[in-house]
Amino acid sequence: MFSSAYLLLLAPLYGIFLGRTWRHERRNAGPSTRLRHRADRKTVMHGLAACALILAASGLSIPRHAPRQQLVIAADVSASIFDLSTQNVRLRELLKEMDPSSLEVAVAVFGANSGTERLMGPLAAPSSGLPENKRTADSRSPLPDLTRPTAVVERSGTDIGAAIDYSRGLFPSEQNEPARGILLLSDFRNTRGSPNASIAGLAGAKIDLLPSPAVLGASSDAYIAALRAPESGPLGRALPIEVTIGAQSPCTVRVALWRQKAGAAEVAVDFKTVSLRAEAGVPGNEVRQVVRFIDQPDSPGVALYTARLSGVDGDLPGDISSNNRLSTAVRVLGPSRWAVLTRSGSTLDRLARDSAKSLGVECAVYDVNSLPQSAAAYENCAGILVDGLSATELPQPALTALSGAVESGKALLAVGGEKAFGAGAHHDGEWERLLPVEMTPEDDRTRSVLFLIDVSKSMDQKMGASGSGVRKIDFAAEQLALAVQKLKPLDRVGLITFSGSAQLAAPLSLDSSHAAFLSAVKKIDVQANTDLLAPLKKAQDVLRDDDAEEQLVVLLSDGVQTASTSSADILAAARELCRVAPASVPAGRDTGATPRRTTLFTFGIGVDAQDADPTGEKMLKELAQAGGGTYSPDFLKLAQRLEQAFESQKKDFFVRRENFAPRAAYIHPLLPVGEWPVLPFRNRVRAKPNAETILGSAVAPASAPVVRRPDPLLVLSGPEWPGTSRRAVLALSLDGAAGSALLASPAGQRLLPAVLEWLESRGETQLPGWTVEAQSNDDDTLAIEVKARDPVTKLPLSGKNVSALLSPLFPAQDGSAQTSAAARVPLHPSAPGVYRTLLAAPAQGVYRLSILEDNRVLHERFVTIPFPAELRRFGTDRAAMQQLATLAGGHSRVIESPRDLAQWAAERQTSRERYVLAPWLIGLALALLLAEYAARR
């Protein structure tokens, strides 16, 4: 079909065509009058049909009678709309520009429920001129009096969704639907459910939502303008808190102050009755007064102070209650008390019981035989210090109590040891969930794999029932080539072949391609006799000078001994090769079981049960048992079984014994200044992604160079973690000579006190020369400014990658859950050494503001986000009002003035007041063409 534009373009062309056709037919008609009349008639009929089609394509329409408009007014009469008389004036003002002759109105009132005040009917003009006895009930009272509603409405809450559903029911169902809208008059502070589902149904019903702000009379409102407290204060000292109250008119209010610790109930501090009076000579209507409270907090940590405003005898008349509560946070500094969970006689046990307070805090010591079984036992403690206890020493009931205390806000420091973390059988569970580390680090052990292959006459046999398959030695070579590809790139691989004697065919090599090994496998020659003692002795000589942390010996043979060596001597050689290391001997790994550096795995060369030799199979099983490994008879799946043997050793590498030196990851305020000693032992853990490692391991200068990543030694939970508690792990043992050397070093002397001080948020985490300012503005934004100067030269520090992070301290003040983490916001340089940003303030509450340079925490402080500026100024949530109109779609919009409502009515009328003539014009064109054709016949 042609579009309108195409038809309009073809119109002149068709006119030219008709003109030429008419002239041509007139010439051919000659003197015949009948033929000339027929040409004239044809041209006229075709021209009229073309004009009709052109008019249809242009969308020709004609006015029709304007439709009626139906409006349901849903008026909020809940307690927050304290002055209902002003709502009567507001309604009449909004409707004053509407045409009463075409408007039908129904009125509903709502709070927690809804009721009808006026059924749908015409809106009569107040000066209708009708005699009193002739007026209907609707014409005598065009709109109801909201101060005296006839419907019974619960005013204690606001349910906007229910009000919208109720208002839809007041529209009569008609075939010829008029323009319909719901005029929602409210402060839009919904307290019951969510209106989104109700609003979504309006579009399908062709009903527009017209939200309009109620007149709240802000001059009657009193509110908390500000709450000020120091960022920190000492325990046992007076802590001043100032509350600023504002009101637009004189009133008497009651101010209460409450204190709360994380995980505990609120405690009343004090309350005061305040009379706000206007001061003579002060311009403006607002009255303000500052009330001062003094508190003495009874325990260290982070305290949340909340000020609440109310009337002397209950609610304030004409008050907006949602701006009557404001909170701030204060760090309460020690002396503090810590719970120490340890075993008798350990270093931490001695330090915790030291009367000189070597740890810098008061300690309540709990032995492993008397650990608390309830989180209430930790109530008076700022944090919990756990020695390197195993899962047996820290049983589940004690761990559950510890977990409850930490998750309620207590700080936590876990110290390493021989049986700490995963080495103490604490596998994936509640203990790991509490810590900022994972107990299964990457397996980066150095490992040597030495193959011992039997090249005796039995390996020359062909596989298969008829003996027509490949030789066993060729099949074994192929399977070994596949298996070594599964090894780690840093694994060393070597080969010993044996028959009556043993030869080193391929020395242990770090070549990741294993070229020497694969070449030696291909060149294996079959020989006579079998002596199992020779390869075990040769392997012992090869591995004696090998420094790998783990050694795997893989023996492939039928196990049949043809030499004169006794089985006892062979088994003794296997035990000597795979000796069990005493605790004092350095071992590559320690999972709580018997440490073993070298492990022997044996594989039978028999293809099936008939091919296996019972005597040889028995010997291979005994060898594997003596060497701490396993025996596998499945020769046809040799590559798969080898791969399983390589991975059979646990990847949990919990302990590393080698000389190393602690090294600071970067300059951190809590790390003491001084040299760290060389230590021989550390726990192996892995920092979680949202944790911060500030101390790691480095190869000791006197040690041989080892290709290895540093291990984390001191890991902090950091400010990105939710809640108020901080958590840390020190993956070092404080026991024995190494622990004594650490604690006696210049850096180690202040390590534990500094970490404990940081964990309970005592003092600031701030570098010298850095200052931070954060200010909440009246436009609901938060301005952050950071100034950085070199502490020595005092010169500005430019070019820094600085960012800010806001994380909630406690739940939101309205009871809803705040997000547990916020996205970082970059700070932009605005002057040398000055970085600023302006961000939209999040939900009302108290937040921890962290300033970071890359992943380095520079500064932390608390920021109070007050209630939105709309509540401070108007009491109406205009953001929610706009959101409702947007969600409703169609012609929905916010109604601020009578002109807005009249404009909506005009748009709805315009969209429905014309008849489209296109179908009639197309029919006319067809009729003309048919008539002309019939006349020609």
Side-chain angles (χ1 to χ4, degrees), residues 384-389 394 399 402-403 406-407 411-416 420-422 426-427 429-440 683-692 715-718 721 725-731:
I384 306 169
L385 174 57
V386 182
D387 207 346
L389 305 183
L394 187 61
L399 182 56
L402 169 64
S403 175
V406 172
E407 291 181 347
L412 173 67
L413 172 59
V415 180
F421 312 122
H426 287 287
H427 300 288
E430 193 169 9
W431 184 227
E432 185 175 49
R433 182 171 55 83
L434 292 177
L435 302 175
V437 298
E438 297 174 355
M439 295 185 293
T440 53
N683 297 95
R684 292 220 60 215
V685 292
R686 177 171 57 183
K688 289 181 179 177
N690 53 357
E692 182 181 15
V715 183
L716 311 176
S717 64
W721 280 41
S725 65
R726 289 178 170 179
R727 310 170 195 189
V729 160
L730 180 62

Side-chain angles (χ1 to χ4, degrees), residues 4-5 20 48 62 70 107 126 221 231 294-295 342 431 524 556 576 582 596 616 628 651 686 760 764 815 883 895:
S4 301
R20 289 192 171 187
L48 291 174
I62 61 174
Q70 292 181 344
V107 179
D221 183 41
E231 285 202 18
I294 301 295
D295 183 39
T342 183
W431 184 227
I524 291 177
L556 279 74
E576 180 65 21
R596 193 185 286 269
K651 290 186 176 181
R686 177 171 57 183
E760 62 176 280
E764 298 280 351
Q883 184 179 5
I895 303 299

Side-chain angles (χ1 to χ4, degrees), residues 393-577:
E393 295 169 311
L394 187 61
Q396 188 58 46
L399 182 56
T400 300
L402 169 64
S403 175
V406 172
E407 291 181 347
S408 69
K410 304 300 180 184
L412 173 67
L413 172 59
V415 180
E418 292 282 350
K419 303 297 182 183
F421 312 122
H426 287 287
H427 300 288
D428 307 325
E430 193 169 9
W431 184 227
E432 185 175 49
R433 182 171 55 83
L434 292 177
L435 302 175
V437 298
E438 297 174 355
M439 295 185 293
T440 53
E442 181 183 355
D443 186 2
D444 62 351
R445 292 166 290 177
T446 55
R447 186 169 65 167
S448 293
V449 182
L450 185 60
F451 290 92
L452 314 181
I453 300 183
D454 185 352
V455 295
S456 62
K457 209 61 176 172
S458 61
M459 296 294 285
D460 197 32
Q461 298 176 5
K462 291 187 176 182
M463 301 171 60
S466 61
S468 60
V470 299
R471 294 189 309 161
K472 292 181 182 179
I473 190 64
D474 295 331
F475 178 77
E478 178 185 345
Q479 294 291 295
L480 289 175
L482 294 174
V484 295
Q485 302 304 320
K486 303 295 184 180
L487 294 173
K488 297 185 299 182
L490 294 180
D491 283 344
R492 310 166 188 175
V493 180
L495 174 64
I496 293 176
T497 59
F498 71 93
S499 55
S501 59
Q503 299 81 32
L504 181 61
L508 291 171
S509 172
L510 278 172
D511 180 12
S512 59
S513 67
H514 311 305
F517 171 81
L518 296 175
S519 176
V521 167
K522 294 178 181 178
K523 297 178 181 178
I524 291 177
D525 293 327
V526 176
Q527 302 175 17
N529 299 326
T530 301
D531 185 2
L532 294 173
L533 180 63
L536 296 175
K537 291 288 187 182
K538 187 68 174 178
Q540 188 174 348
D541 294 338
V542 171
L543 296 178
R544 182 180 295 112
D545 298 328
D546 179 63
D547 61 353
E549 295 171 88
E550 184 181 21
Q551 298 169 339
L552 303 182
V553 179
V554 181
L555 172 64
L556 279 74
S557 174
D558 59 6
V560 179
Q561 175 73 10
T562 61
S564 59
T565 309
S566 67
S567 299
D569 291 340
I570 297 174
L571 294 175
R575 295 189 187 95
E576 180 65 21
L577 174 64

